[in-house]
Amino acid sequence: MQKNFLIIAGIFLFLEVYIYQTIRTLTDNSWIRIGYWVLSLAVYGIFAYEVTHFQRSDRSTVRAQIMISLFLIFILPKIFVVLFLLIDDIFRTGGYLIGFAKSSENFFPERRKFLSIVGLGMGGVLSALFIDGITFGKYRHTVRRVRVKFNNLPKSFKGYKIIQISDVHSGSFSDPSKLQHAIDLINEQKPDLVLFTGDMVNNVADEFKPFIPLFSKIQAKDGKFAVLGNHDYGDYISWESPAAKKENLDTLIGYEKQAGFDMLRNEHRVIERNGEQLYILGVENWGLKPFPQFGKIDDALKNVPESATKILMSHDPTHFDYVVKKHPANIHLTLSGHTHGMQFGLDLKNVKWSPVQYKYPKWADLYESEGKLLYVNRGFGVLGYPGRVGVLPEITLFELS
């Protein structure tokens, strides 16, 4: 442990000394230089304090958010700047070694001010983006409209509107009223049905309690259904006993019922119109280990006609590739969440990239495989980093055709 600490401290020391040379290149003002070191040492001190207490305490959401935010706002941009300037130094030092440089240089070669300004500017922009993501980004909920075609859709359900939300993570928000605009957005769509695909909390049921009145305002003609996500089971904190953990889960399900959600645990519900049916299946969480694999499609399909139009709610999108699309029941559409789009990336019309795609190839939007469809919602809330950059919180509006 001590050896790892010394290695990490050495890396950060190199990082700070390197960045400081850039500050020296740009200004002779001693107050700016001193201010830089005071701010840097303060950030590292707070970061170390939070890491230490996070490891020794109950791994609270607030401490995790502080650590991640400090890293992304103050440390990651510095790493980015150093990589940018280091590449330039390598080329210039290489040129000196083979005789192209006109003057000798010390360990930190004199940089052109232009490159220093560009490097620091890029780091500053990155910091500003992460700050904006915390302050405003996580509240920029947007409605994404998706038309889904079913070959066997009953005529009574043509134009049927379904809202999907996922990954609320209510424990990451301190003020329910700041999400009122998102609830209003949902109701403005006048949905026939609302489906919530898991992770209402980070760890414990009481995180959602202050949000019950707010989510009770969501209106849908045919009701609101929900499934459980991996965080809802309370697996990421310690419990006094298995009974206490079970009680927490039962409490959460009760809270969601108070908010108007019918929890589907490996079961289904039937929506009827003019004697025609649409089947909504809901399974418990199923993900690759170490995530729990409680989802049982066969249980949810009991007494469901083979030819019926079926929509499945399953929190983790890996369930689709490993189980659902190969299942003989021919479930045409699966709705998932879980990835959050990592809350960071490029999410443009023709360009989509997020680091999360290297773990979850299907991480956002609509996918087709073997004639079956999967939609992955980008998430309603946040986890870990308490913000969003590039990948906005999502409310999905499906129109069936």
Side-chain angles (χ1 to χ4, degrees):
M1 178 67 72
Q2 186 176 6
K3 181 180 179 181
N4 292 337
F5 175 80
L6 291 174
I7 292 174
I8 294 172
I11 292 173
F12 283 135
L13 179 61
F14 170 79
L15 184 75
E16 291 302 331
V17 172
Y18 207 94
I19 291 285
Y20 181 65
Q21 301 308 310
T22 304
I23 302 294
R24 287 183 58 191
T25 299
L26 295 177
T27 182
D28 293 326
N29 190 308
S30 59
W31 286 108
I32 293 178
R33 295 180 179 183
I34 293 171
Y36 172 80
W37 281 112
V38 170
L39 177 62
S40 296
L41 291 173
V43 169
Y44 283 119
I46 297 171
F47 184 77
Y49 176 86
E50 294 296 337
V51 169
T52 301
H53 283 74
F54 179 79
Q55 292 173 340
R56 293 176 180 175
S57 66
D58 59 357
R59 296 179 177 267
S60 72
T61 297
V62 174
R63 290 196 187 282
Q65 290 181 344
I66 292 173
M67 289 187 301
I68 293 171
S69 297
L70 286 175
F71 178 80
L72 293 177
I73 294 171
F74 292 101
I75 300 175
L76 181 63
K78 290 183 179 181
I79 296 173
F80 183 80
V81 172
V82 166
L83 290 175
F84 173 79
L85 296 174
L86 190 59
I87 291 172
D88 172 65
D89 280 348
I90 289 172
F91 278 106
R92 293 201 296 125
T93 302
Y96 168 74
L97 292 175
I98 60 176
F100 289 113
K102 294 182 179 180
S103 62
S104 63
E105 297 176 332
N106 58 21
F107 182 73
F108 297 100
E110 186 68 23
R111 298 188 183 92
R112 293 188 297 273
K113 284 192 175 182
F114 173 75
L115 284 176
S116 296
I117 292 171
V118 170
L120 289 176
M122 292 171 70
V125 168
L126 190 57
S127 291
L129 287 173
F130 284 123
I131 293 171
D132 175 78
I134 294 171
T135 309
F136 304 108
K138 65 183 175 186
Y139 299 115
R140 291 192 181 111
H141 292 80
T142 183
V143 176
R144 291 183 176 268
R145 293 169 171 81
V146 181
R147 184 182 292 271
V148 179
K149 184 176 181 179
F150 288 82
N151 293 329
N152 61 341
L153 183 71
K155 292 182 180 179
S156 299
F157 289 94
K158 183 178 180 181
Y160 194 77
K161 294 193 294 184
I162 298 176
I163 284 284
Q164 180 200 7
I165 56 175
S166 190
D167 301 87
V168 169
H169 290 284
S170 51
S172 295
F173 296 94
S174 58
D175 185 357
S177 66
K178 290 187 176 181
L179 294 174
Q180 180 64 56
H181 73 286
I183 303 303
D184 293 340
L185 263 180
I186 293 172
N187 288 331
E188 286 171 10
Q189 313 312 313
K190 300 186 183 304
D192 296 296
L193 189 67
V194 170
L195 304 179
F196 172 66
T197 48
D199 276 3
M200 189 65 84
V201 297
N202 296 334
N203 293 306
V204 298
D206 279 352
E207 294 171 16
F208 183 59
K209 191 174 182 179
F211 293 82
I212 294 174
L214 180 67
F215 281 78
S216 297
K217 296 178 182 178
I218 296 176
Q219 302 295 318
K221 298 173 186 176
D222 293 327
K224 303 183 291 190
F225 300 139
V227 294
L228 296 168
N230 55 296
H231 280 266
D232 295 324
Y233 296 97
D235 286 341
Y236 304 114
I237 59 173
S238 299
W239 296 94
E240 293 179 359
S241 66
K245 183 179 178 182
K246 181 182 183 301
E247 182 182 358
N248 176 74
L249 180 58
D250 292 341
T251 300
L252 175 60
I253 294 171
Y255 285 162
E256 292 195 36
K257 185 177 181 180
Q258 290 180 39
F261 289 93
D262 181 7
M263 183 67 68
L264 305 187
R265 303 183 69 180
N266 299 321
E267 51 193 320
H268 70 267
R269 299 290 185 266
V270 185
I271 308 297
E272 291 199 21
R273 283 193 171 186
N274 303 318
E276 296 179 311
Q277 293 82 35
L278 174 67
Y279 286 79
I280 307 299
L281 315 178
V283 295
E284 298 202 38
N285 190 85
W286 193 103
L288 295 182
K289 295 292 186 180
F291 295 115
Q293 297 183 340
F294 300 143
K296 298 177 181 178
I297 290 182
D298 291 337
D299 288 355
L301 284 164
K302 286 180 180 177
N303 301 318
V304 176
E306 185 177 345
S307 60
T309 303
K310 300 176 283 290
I311 297 175
L312 171 67
M313 293 189 291
S314 181
H315 176 70
D316 192 318
T318 57
H319 193 205
F320 175 81
D321 276 328
Y322 283 83
V323 178
V324 177
K325 74 179 184 182
K326 302 172 185 178
H327 198 280
N330 191 31
I331 298 168
H332 184 66
L333 174 63
T334 300
L335 304 182
S336 298
H338 184 61
T339 73
H340 301 209
M342 205 172 172
Q343 299 163 212
F344 176 84
L346 292 173
D347 196 5
L348 308 175
K349 183 177 181 180
N350 297 316
V351 179
K352 295 187 184 302
W353 175 86
S354 170
V356 79
Q357 71 189 48
Y358 303 113
K359 180 173 177 59
Y360 296 99
K362 296 179 174 66
W363 62 277
D365 273 341
L366 190 65
Y367 301 89
E368 180 177 2
S369 183
E370 299 184 17
K372 317 272 178 71
L373 296 176
L374 166 70
Y375 190 88
V376 184
N377 182 285
R378 293 160 177 81
F380 185 93
V382 294
L383 179 69
Y385 165 58
R388 284 180 175 264
V389 177
V391 180
L392 299 179
E394 176 178 357
I395 297 164
T396 315
L397 174 62
F398 296 95
E399 184 175 338
L400 307 188
S401 66

